[in-house]
């Protein structure tokens, strides 16, 4: 349950809304119960009076109050149900926003080292199914559970008043068991399956992706059928577990319905004794069992919600794990003073990923202000980790690094689904359009976007103008070049950019960056912009 | 509009086709549901009978006891049938999803790796896993409930008519409204569903975009403003969605309203009838038993329909997912002979004692292929390649090098002409293939190599890995070939992954090895290892065919072919 705690706290930040939503649900439920129970009472009363009238005995009946009541409940049931659905869907959407924003802030607060590198598909499932599991937690689970408990107590009270305390206690006992069967009973019997389910789903997804990526190799080796059959077995196993959980949930639902119906039968049976003793009237005797039968409506919402609780907890745990806050791992960084005229100083650096051999050890580097340094290293040598360390994204496991404020072009090109202008202004919000065109000119994109109808407002990303890998890289480069930071770190700045363009950009960059410090990292000398000196990594 | 309606029809046909082998599960589900309905009716009969006997006729307890037994029995029976219904429904959906998965996988095999490579593995996997799972609710809940929402109300209607035909007419009056309700509810639910999905996916897209780029936002100190943007956009969409919901929920409110009003009208009619105020029709015959029973059955009459409307989104979800799956299944002409070759592949063994025509191992005879009518990639190409040859294919990009390799692999079928390797059709026996990107599975080094050669010994695996220069990496891991390839999310570089694929080829000992640009995009280390490995394979007498521009690779070949302008010529 502790996994859910931060999310529950978030949900409970809107107590008023939750309360009103629950009240509306209660109103809808009570209207339904009231309609049937009052109708039952009314029919029994009229039957009794009818018998007397038929025997020409004097009898009176007030038709207006029960008739009005029945009409009122018929209308109030419809209206309250409609308003309740609308209001609570609004609440769910509000909670969705709350959860997303909270999640984003949490992620932003965590350092890159703490954030697990997830694939796009994994993020998509985190942000859709996992967040969905949480935003409907209130509507599916919390509110119905509270409601079921409350209405059960209400009926306990009603039984006490109309019948007697002994019968009320017995009914409450039966309903208590029904409640347990529909809630913790389901949870206890499905939680492990449900929690396992999402992990299985994730590893199945990974296996399918691998199968598809290796389809050519597997086909060539004549193994695609065998491997496919293995995948089918994995999928089948997951599905079988799900059937198990579903059918357990179904049996619990049936069980709780059984108990509710039995409580109604019991109330009728016990009520007859009171009726025969003349302690209650016939109409009252009928009213209570019918009201009890109506409980099935709210109880039937519970088993499914509790059957999914295990999965919801797993979702919450995943979200917690993927964006745990960084105060757990923050090592007290050895701050080193930056000597005068130095842009970056790294002393005795060791960078390693947890449980891996260090990428490199004892790395020293001093970069003077205005210097252009190139760092070369083959793939897997830890170039990008070094750049992360310089920019402060990654804490070194040994040694220290400190530098001037920097703008950092990461190895991965990241552009946002937004306008070209918004993408460029990220690093320097105050830049004028003239400046923007100048920098686009420099990365050889001015012509490309000059011919677009929307110019600087050209929409980038999947729904907008499609950029090639090289073009996207140059937009990202332009964004870093616009930043006023005195130190620039460029990791593979020219990925996907052809040689002639690369040369052109290099030349123009030299002028633009006059007086600023640049550290560029690449796999080969021809992928570096102009440098004063080159450091070879990992030799 | 008509087009989407047509699409839906096709999707529905496909969905019902999926049930073909699983009819008995659906029938079982419906039967259990019907039994539960019958038990419910019995329960209400006993209940009304007991009340009538006890209240009106003042029957003693002993006389009521058998009725109470009947009541409890009906209640138990109802629950058992209900539990059985969900159990059968879950099994049914499981079977159907299995069938769908098998169909999709068969389709993958039919179109072959080349066509499959056009779509991202992630979205194909999503179709195979998530879209197929989205069919669950349709088969487990909606489909059986469709039938049940006809059967159970009909049973109740018959009984109510028997009890009091006027009350029956009240219910029947709402019966013609039921299809009308269903259409209303359907339209509303569909709209709601579409709106919901559109909103959620748009929001998720924008959110995902920001999360993916969060490091960049951090570097530029823009995370807080991005959080505000997310907040604003979410709020904006919430308001738009609510406008639609206001209308969409009306349809179910109408259903709710009619159900409530029907119950109220029946209650008041019965009440007045019992008082003897209504002199017309059958109402003078009403007793507390028949009156109460009608009242108790009235909500049960509407209940199946209400459940159906709750499950309506299952239908929409299944239709949406089904449409996407179906689009994929109809996509791409299955290369007929490709699938045949696939089926025969495991049986075929290279007949080395008969080394093909004229001592040549591999031959192309008048092969032509065009992707577009006006432009032939290969035009009437004939070619002989000897066993043990090392062939480099060179030429401009888009000139047809990869096409030729894919033809030799049997991943593509020529428009005309024929291709044989060792006297057998292309792709009919196991061979080595190295694509542009390496491939690895989540597991140990040994798992990865045994994927294509299940019987390889530990020593052979280690030797193969060392052959491609992965020795140092292996030494840095605790358990050697039994350590995980990817640990703690740290993957292999592109070059390392490609070398791992090359190691598979070393272990498997294929006679023919096809490689598409084996050194493209590699760093100098990996390049060196790949060259060395290919050299070793050439020395071992394997037939190597690769496309390349790389000087060192061209030097390794004993024959260089220029693929250009639809022709293949020796250089």
């Amino acid at each position: 349950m502790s996994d859910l705690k931060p999310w529950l706290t978030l949900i409970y930040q809107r107590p008023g809304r939750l309360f009103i939503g629950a009240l509306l649900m209660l109103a809808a439920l009570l209207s339904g119960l009231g309609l049937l129970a009052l109708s039952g009472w009314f029919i029994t009363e009229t039957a009794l009076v009818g018998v007397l009238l038929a025997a020409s005995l004097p009898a009176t009946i007030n038709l207006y109050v029960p008739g009005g009541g029945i009409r009122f409940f018929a209308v109030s049931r419809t209206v309250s149900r409609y308003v309740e659905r609308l209001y609570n869907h609004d609440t769910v959407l509000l909670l969705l926003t709350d959860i997303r924003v909270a999640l984003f802030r949490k992620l932003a607060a965590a350092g890159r080292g703490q954030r697990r590198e997830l694939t796009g598909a994994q993020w998509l499932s985190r942000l859709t199914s996992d967040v969905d599991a949480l935003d409907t937690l209130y509507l599916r689970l919390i509110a119905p559970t509270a409601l079921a408990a409350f209405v059960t107590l209400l009926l306990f009270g009603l039984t006490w008043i109309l019948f007697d305390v002994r019968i009320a206690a017995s009914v409450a006992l039966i309903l208590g068991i029904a409640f347990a069967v529909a809630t913790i009973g389901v949870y206890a019997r499905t939680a492990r399956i449900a929690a396992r389910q999402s992990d299985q789903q994730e590893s199945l997804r990974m296996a399918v992706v691998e199968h598809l990526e290796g389809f050519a190799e597997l086909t060539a080796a004549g193994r695609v059928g065998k491997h496919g059959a293995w995948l089918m077995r994995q999928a089948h196993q997951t599905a079988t577990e799900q059937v198990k959980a579903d059918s357990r949930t179904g049996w619990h639902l049936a069980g709780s319905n059984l108990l509710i119906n039995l409580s109604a039968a019991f109330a009728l049976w016990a009520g007859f004794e009171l009726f025969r003793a003349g302690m209650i009237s016939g109409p009252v005797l009928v009213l209570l069992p019918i009201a009890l039968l109506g409980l099935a409506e709210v109880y039937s919402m519970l088993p499914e919600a509790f059957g999914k609780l295990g999965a919801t907890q797993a979702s919450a745990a995943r979200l917690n794990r993927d964006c745990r806050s960084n105060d757990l791992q923050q090592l007290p960084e050895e701050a080193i003073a930056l000597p005068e005229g130095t842009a970056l100083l790294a002393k005795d650096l060791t960078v390693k990923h947890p449980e891996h051999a260090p990428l490199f050890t004892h790395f020293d580097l001093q970069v003077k202000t205005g210097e252009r340094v190139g760092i070369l290293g083959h793939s897997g040598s830890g170039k990008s980790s070094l750049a992360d360390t310089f920019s402060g994204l990654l804490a070194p496991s040994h040694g220290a690094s400190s530098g001037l404020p920097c703008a950092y072009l990461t190895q991965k090109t990241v552009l946002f689904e937004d306008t070209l202008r918004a993408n460029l202004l990220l690093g320097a919000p105050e830049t004028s359009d003239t400046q923007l065109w100048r920098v686009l000119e420099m990365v050889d994109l001015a012509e490309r976007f000059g011919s677009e109808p929307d110019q600087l407002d050209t929409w980038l990303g999947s729904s907008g103008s499609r950029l090639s890998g090289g073009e996207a890289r140059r937009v990202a480069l332009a964004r870093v070049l616009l930043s006023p930071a005195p130190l620039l770190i460029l990791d593979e700045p020219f990925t996907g950019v052809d040689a002639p363009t690369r040369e052109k950009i290099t030349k123009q960059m030299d002028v633009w960056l006059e007086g600023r410090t640049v550290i560029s990292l690449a796999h080969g000398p021809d992928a570096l912009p102009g440098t004063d000196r080159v450091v070879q990594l990992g030799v | 509009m008509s087009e989407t309606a047509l699409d839906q029809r096709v999707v529905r046909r496909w969905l019902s086709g999926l049930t073909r082998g699983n009819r008995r599960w659906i029938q079982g589900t419906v039967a259990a549901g019907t039994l539960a309905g019958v038990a419910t009716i019995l329960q209400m009969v006993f209940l009304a009978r007991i009340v009538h006997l006890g209240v009106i006729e003042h029957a003693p307890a002993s006389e009521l006891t058998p009725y109470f037994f009947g009541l409890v029995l009906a209640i138990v029976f109802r629950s058992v049938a209900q539990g059985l219904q969900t159990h059968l429904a879950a099994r049914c959906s499981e079977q159907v999803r299995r069938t769908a998965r098998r169909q999709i996988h068969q389709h993958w095999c039919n179109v072959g790796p080349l066509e499959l490579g056009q779509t991202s593995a992630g979205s194909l996997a999503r179709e195979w896993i998530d879209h197929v799972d989205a069919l669950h609710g349709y088969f487990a809940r909606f489909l059986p409930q469709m039938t049940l929402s006809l059967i159970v109300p009909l049973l109740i209607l018959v009984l109510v008519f028997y009890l009091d035909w006027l009350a029956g007419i009240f219910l029947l009056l709402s019966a013609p409204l039921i299809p009308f309700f269903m259409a209303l509810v359907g339209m509303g639910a569909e709209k709601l569903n579409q709106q919901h999905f559109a909103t959620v996916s748009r929001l998720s897209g924008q959110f995902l975009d920001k999360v993916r780029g969060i490091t960049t936002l951090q570097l530029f100190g823009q995370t807080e403003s991005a959080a505000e943007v997310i907040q604003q956009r979410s709020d904006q969409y919430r308001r738009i969605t609510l406008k639609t919901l206001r209308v969409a929920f009306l349809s179910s409110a109408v259903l709710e309203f009619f159900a409530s009003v029907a119950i109220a009208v029946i209650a008041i009619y019965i009440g007045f009838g019992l008082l003897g105020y209504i002199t017309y029709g059958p109402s003078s015959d009403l007793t507390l038993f028949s009156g109460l029973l009608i009242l108790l059955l009235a909500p049960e009459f509407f209940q199946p329909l209400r459940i159906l409307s709750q499950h309506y989104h299952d239908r929409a979800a299944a239709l949406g997912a089904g449409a996407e799956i179906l689009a994929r299944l109809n996509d791409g002409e299955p290369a007929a002979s490709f699938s045949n070759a696939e089926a025969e592949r495991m049986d075929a063994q290279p007949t080395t004692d008969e080394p093909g025509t004229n001592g040549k191992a591999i031959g192309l005879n008048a092969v032509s292929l065009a992707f577009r009518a006006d432009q032939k990639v290969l035009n009437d190409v004939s070619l002989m390649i000897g066993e043990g040859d090392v062939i480099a294919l060179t030429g401009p990009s888009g000139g047809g090098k990869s096409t030729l390799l894919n033809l030799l692999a049997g991943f593509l079928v020529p428009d005309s002409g024929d291709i044989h390797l060792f006297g057998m059709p292309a792709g009919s026996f196991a061979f080595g293939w190295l694509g542009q990107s390496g491939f690895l599975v989540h597991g140990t080094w040994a798992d990865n190599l045994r994927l294509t050669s299940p019987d390889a010994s530990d020593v052979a695996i280690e030797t193969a890995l060392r052959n491609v220069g992965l020795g140092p990496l292996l030494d840095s891991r605790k358990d050697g070939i039994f350590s995980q390839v990817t640990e703690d999310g740290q993957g292999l570089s592109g070059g390392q992954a490609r070398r791992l694929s090359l190691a598979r080829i070393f272990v498997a000992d294929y006679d023919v090895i096809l490689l598409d640009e084996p050194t493209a995009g590699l760093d100098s280390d990996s390049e060196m290892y790949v060259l060395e490995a290919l050299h070793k394979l050439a020395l071992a007498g394997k037939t190597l065919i690769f496309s390349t521009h790389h000087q060192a690779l061209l030097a390794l070949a004993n024959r260089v072919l220029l693929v250009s302008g639809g022709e293949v010529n020796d250089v």
Side-chain angles (χ1 to χ4, degrees):
Chain A
M1 283 295 167
S2 63
D3 283 325
L4 287 177
K5 217 175 152 196
W7 308 102
L8 289 176
T9 319
L10 193 66
I11 291 172
Y12 288 132
Q13 269 172 10
R14 298 182 178 275
R17 229 175 199 286
L18 302 189
F19 186 67
I20 293 175
L23 272 189
L24 285 167
M25 282 171 99
L26 181 67
L29 186 70
L30 288 184
S31 302
L33 274 178
L35 176 63
L36 281 177
L38 185 61
S39 299
W41 180 90
F42 178 66
I43 286 176
T44 316
E45 177 76 18
T46 52
L48 285 171
V49 173
V51 168
L52 293 178
L53 287 177
S56 306
L57 289 166
T60 53
I61 179 166
N62 178 355
L63 289 174
Y64 295 101
V65 174
I70 287 171
R71 278 197 299 273
F72 167 77
F73 282 136
V75 173
S76 76
R77 181 165 100 143
T78 313
V79 173
S80 56
R81 175 64 43 90
Y82 175 73
V83 176
E84 176 264 312
R85 286 186 76 187
L86 207 57
Y87 190 83
N88 281 331
H89 269 80
D90 191 23
T91 307
V92 167
L93 288 173
L94 267 176
L95 291 176
L96 177 67
T97 308
D98 287 353
I99 290 173
R100 286 210 161 138
V101 173
L103 187 62
F104 186 80
R105 291 220 162 97
K106 262 191 182 182
L107 280 173
R112 172 139 116 169
Q114 281 82 30
R115 263 201 314 271
R116 297 200 330 150
E117 292 295 333
L118 297 176
T119 63
Q122 282 172 314
W123 269 124
L124 195 66
S125 85
R126 289 286 184 287
L127 302 182
T128 50
S129 46
D130 286 347
V131 169
D132 269 357
L134 291 172
D135 67 33
T136 52
L137 193 61
Y138 164 73
L139 190 61
R140 281 193 300 106
L141 190 123
I142 300 171
T145 310
L147 209 60
F150 180 74
V151 177
T152 305
L153 283 178
L154 216 61
L155 283 176
F156 167 71
L158 195 68
T159 317
W160 193 345
I161 294 165
L162 295 180
F163 288 15
D164 67 20
V165 66
R166 197 171 41 87
I167 298 171
S170 304
V171 166
L173 182 69
I174 299 174
L175 291 179
I177 298 171
F179 188 78
V181 166
T183 54
I184 47 173
V186 182
Y187 175 69
R189 294 195 60 213
T190 58
R192 281 198 21 228
I193 299 178
R196 226 174 15 227
Q197 192 84 29
S198 39
D199 288 340
Q200 279 176 343
Q201 195 90 333
E202 198 143 309
S203 57
L204 179 64
R205 186 183 310 277
M206 197 140 67
V208 177
V209 168
E210 288 165 355
H211 177 71
L212 287 161
E213 279 171 350
F215 212 83
E217 274 184 52
L218 289 169
T219 308
R223 301 284 303 173
V224 76
K226 286 257 161 55
H227 199 247
W230 175 80
L231 271 185
M232 284 295 296
R233 278 200 300 281
Q234 299 294 309
H236 182 58
Q237 210 177 331
T238 314
T240 311
E241 292 257 289
Q242 200 199 334
V243 168
K244 210 197 263 174
D246 279 359
S247 98
R248 280 182 185 176
T249 307
W251 283 111
H252 275 258
L253 173 65
S256 89
N257 272 343
L258 174 77
L259 288 165
I260 287 169
N261 284 324
L262 284 181
S263 78
F266 171 78
L268 189 62
W269 181 73
F272 263 116
E273 274 178 40
L274 300 180
F275 174 70
R276 278 188 215 101
M279 289 159 75
I280 56 171
S281 69
V284 168
L285 171 67
V286 175
L287 182 141
L288 195 72
I290 293 185
L292 284 170
L293 286 181
L295 264 185
E297 188 175 334
V298 59
Y299 270 60
S300 67
M301 294 165 82
L302 301 179
E304 208 191 324
F306 277 87
K308 283 186 180 149
L309 183 57
T312 307
Q313 274 178 306
S315 291
R318 267 195 301 276
L319 287 172
N320 292 342
R321 186 185 62 205
D322 290 336
C323 54
R324 61 184 167 215
S325 64
N326 59 351
D327 43 39
L328 282 173
Q329 287 199 354
Q330 191 98 67
L331 298 169
E333 221 169 288
E334 297 172 49
I336 48 170
L338 208 57
E340 189 73 19
T342 305
L344 182 116
L345 183 63
K347 266 193 185 158
D348 199 19
L349 274 190
T350 298
V351 171
K352 71 190 279 282
H353 291 281
E355 283 152 56
H356 270 259
L359 288 158
F360 46 81
T361 52
H362 309 301
F363 181 86
D364 293 291
L365 183 70
Q366 179 161 17
V367 180
K368 291 197 282 291
T369 36
E371 203 178 7
R372 312 274 162 90
V373 177
I375 297 176
L376 288 180
H378 59 84
S379 70
S381 64
K383 277 193 309 286
S384 300
S385 304
L386 184 62
D388 284 355
T389 313
F390 287 162
S391 67
L393 285 177
L394 186 70
S397 58
H398 184 260
S401 139
S402 82
L404 296 173
C406 70
Y408 173 24
L409 175 66
T410 53
Q411 189 178 32
K412 210 173 121 203
T413 306
V414 179
L415 295 183
F416 295 95
E417 290 197 20
D418 211 327
T419 59
L420 173 65
R421 188 201 307 275
N423 268 292
L424 287 175
L425 289 183
L426 213 55
E430 307 297 326
T431 317
S432 69
D433 280 10
T434 335
Q435 283 287 88
L436 292 182
W437 282 115
R438 263 192 66 204
V439 80
L440 283 176
E441 181 70 48
M442 194 173 60
V443 296
D444 204 26
L445 283 175
E447 218 171 300
R448 164 79 169 76
F449 287 106
S451 64
E452 290 278 346
D454 294 331
Q455 306 265 315
L456 284 173
D457 291 316
T458 305
W459 193 267
L460 306 183
S462 56
S463 53
S465 156
R466 285 287 199 177
L467 298 182
S468 76
E471 285 170 339
R473 191 67 186 156
R474 282 182 279 155
V475 173
L477 177 62
R479 181 169 63 196
V480 170
L481 292 177
L482 277 171
S483 160
L487 171 63
L488 298 188
I489 300 170
L490 310 174
D491 190 1
E492 299 279 5
F494 297 130
T495 311
V497 182
D498 60 53
T501 317
R502 201 187 301 166
E503 263 169 47
K504 209 162 136 192
I505 298 175
T506 302
K507 236 178 260 159
Q508 288 170 313
M509 257 170 67
D510 277 344
V511 185
W512 176 281
L513 293 175
E514 191 62 53
R516 292 169 65 193
T517 316
V518 183
I519 300 172
S520 16
L521 305 96
H523 66 276
D526 52 345
L528 283 176
T531 49
D532 299 332
R533 63 183 170 113
V534 170
V535 180
Q536 187 78 37
L537 195 63
V539 249
Chain B
M1 185 68 200
S2 66
E3 200 172 300
T4 54
L6 190 75
D7 273 349
Q8 276 208 353
R9 214 172 310 144
V10 176
V11 175
R12 277 212 297 274
R13 203 175 307 140
W14 177 70
L15 287 176
S16 74
L18 283 179
T19 61
R20 206 158 292 141
N22 309 303
R23 282 254 176 268
R24 64 200 174 97
W25 291 110
I26 294 186
Q27 284 159 356
T29 311
V30 172
T34 310
L35 283 179
V38 170
T40 308
I41 294 172
L42 282 177
Q43 179 193 342
M44 299 312 173
V45 169
F46 280 117
L47 210 60
R49 193 84 228 163
I50 291 168
V51 170
H52 179 84
L53 287 177
V55 174
I56 302 291
E57 305 189 358
H58 300 283
S62 59
E63 203 179 306
L64 291 181
T65 312
Y67 288 101
F68 269 108
F69 266 115
L71 175 63
V72 171
L73 215 62
I75 289 172
V76 171
F77 192 64
R78 178 183 176 185
S79 288
V80 171
Q82 211 180 14
L84 211 57
Q85 185 189 345
T86 39
H87 176 74
L88 291 174
R91 289 299 305 273
C92 166
S93 141
E94 182 201 10
Q95 296 294 331
V96 168
R97 282 180 288 160
R98 206 172 173 182
T99 313
R101 290 217 166 92
R102 202 172 289 136
Q103 263 186 27
I104 296 173
H105 191 263
Q106 190 54 50
H107 172 76
W108 289 350
C109 290
N110 287 345
V111 298
L114 194 64
E115 177 80 35
L116 219 50
Q118 306 293 318
T119 318
S120 85
S123 47
L124 286 173
R126 217 157 53 93
E127 281 164 17
W128 201 74
I129 297 174
D130 302 320
H131 285 22
V132 171
D133 276 342
L135 305 179
H136 170 71
Y138 180 75
F139 290 101
R141 294 184 287 254
F142 184 81
L143 213 56
Q145 193 59 40
M146 270 264 275
T147 319
L148 286 177
S149 67
L150 283 177
I151 296 177
V152 176
L154 210 64
L155 286 174
I156 291 173
L157 198 64
V158 169
L159 183 60
V160 171
F161 254 99
Y162 167 76
L163 293 170
D164 185 304
W165 58 264
L166 207 55
I169 283 179
F170 282 135
L171 286 185
L172 191 61
L173 271 182
S174 62
L177 289 174
I178 286 174
F180 176 67
F181 285 161
M182 284 169 82
L184 262 182
V185 168
M187 266 152 43
E190 207 124 337
K191 204 187 232 169
L192 167 63
N193 213 58
Q194 279 165 5
Q195 177 76 27
H196 181 72
F197 275 122
T199 306
V200 165
S201 72
R202 219 174 319 163
L203 270 179
S204 302
Q206 287 181 348
F207 188 36
L208 186 64
D209 186 48
K210 295 271 188 289
V211 170
R212 270 186 187 151
I214 199 163
T215 304
T216 305
L217 292 170
Q218 247 171 353
L219 285 169
F220 288 112
Q222 297 288 318
T223 48
E224 197 41 47
S225 61
E228 275 156 27
V229 169
I230 291 173
Q231 171 102 47
Q232 281 165 11
R233 297 225 171 125
S234 291
D235 262 348
Q236 208 176 319
Y237 280 123
R238 181 174 63 86
R239 256 173 247 126
I240 297 170
T241 307
L242 270 188
K243 261 186 209 151
T244 329
L245 287 185
R246 241 171 257 162
V247 183
F249 283 156
L250 266 183
S251 58
S252 62
V254 168
L255 174 61
E256 198 77 36
F257 179 72
F258 273 87
S260 303
V261 165
I263 293 169
V265 166
I266 284 176
I268 288 172
Y269 159 74
I270 292 170
F272 279 67
L274 287 171
L275 285 173
Y277 288 3
I278 302 171
T279 49
Y280 171 77
S283 45
S284 54
D285 297 335
L286 274 174
T287 59
L288 180 57
F289 165 67
S290 58
L292 193 60
L293 182 53
I294 292 169
L295 177 77
L296 288 171
L297 288 177
E300 300 298 332
F301 180 79
F302 293 98
Q303 189 60 16
L305 201 67
R306 286 177 67 197
I307 294 177
L308 186 69
S309 84
Q310 280 167 20
H311 295 336
Y312 216 88
H313 68 269
D314 288 329
R315 176 182 175 273
L319 282 180
E324 274 186 50
I325 295 173
L326 206 57
R328 172 80 53 209
L329 292 182
N330 294 334
D331 201 37
E333 285 289 290
S337 57
F338 178 80
S339 48
N340 292 342
E342 164 68 20
E344 291 159 11
R345 189 188 307 278
M346 289 318 290
D347 310 328
Q349 287 297 321
T351 47
T352 34
D353 45 5
E354 200 233 317
T357 1
N358 304 333
K360 299 281 186 182
I362 297 170
L364 273 74
N365 192 8
V367 169
S368 293
L369 181 71
F371 292 122
R372 285 195 324 228
D374 55 329
Q375 198 183 352
K376 283 197 171 175
V377 184
L378 294 175
N379 189 12
D380 201 22
V381 171
S382 293
L383 188 66
M384 280 293 172
I385 294 169
E387 186 172 1
D389 270 356
V390 178
I391 308 286
L393 307 175
T394 185
S397 53
K401 299 188 295 290
S402 295
T403 309
L404 186 56
L405 279 173
N406 277 302
L407 281 169
L408 286 167
F411 297 165
L412 270 176
V413 181
D415 296 338
S416 63
D418 71 324
I419 302 167
H420 57 90
L421 296 91
F422 305 117
M424 288 189 288
S428 59
F429 58 88
F431 59 95
W433 173 269
L434 187 71
Q436 290 262 8
S437 54
F439 139 69
L440 53 112
V441 299
H442 201 73
T444 66
W445 294 90
D447 290 340
N448 264 286
L449 266 65
R450 290 204 169 113
L451 206 59
T452 48
S453 320
D455 305 323
S457 70
D458 293 355
V459 178
I461 286 171
E462 181 149 359
T463 313
L465 287 169
R466 292 198 185 280
N467 262 328
V468 294
L470 290 170
L473 195 58
L474 215 54
D475 293 337
S476 74
R477 303 286 170 91
K478 257 180 287 174
D479 302 319
I481 61 168
F482 296 109
S483 49
Q484 298 288 318
V485 174
T486 53
E487 277 175 338
D488 203 37
Q490 291 298 109
L492 297 184
S493 73
Q496 287 167 333
R498 204 177 309 173
R499 281 189 270 157
L500 176 65
S501 287
L502 203 53
R504 282 197 199 102
I505 293 174
F506 262 104
V507 167
D509 196 28
Y510 301 115
D511 294 318
V512 179
I513 299 159
L514 308 174
L515 311 99
D516 194 4
E517 304 260 14
T519 56
L522 292 191
D523 55 88
S524 48
D525 284 20
S526 289
E527 194 178 285
M528 192 184 75
Y529 284 119
V530 169
L531 277 170
E532 213 171 290
L534 291 184
H535 191 61
K536 280 181 200 158
L537 288 168
L539 286 181
K542 311 290 183 194
T543 311
L544 297 181
I545 305 173
F546 47 78
S547 60
T548 191
H549 288 294
H550 198 276
Q551 206 49 49
L553 271 176
L554 291 172
L556 184 74
N558 61 9
R559 189 175 167 196
V560 177
L561 296 172
L562 178 71
V563 187
S564 175
E567 292 176 20
V568 179
N569 295 307
D570 276 282
V571 174

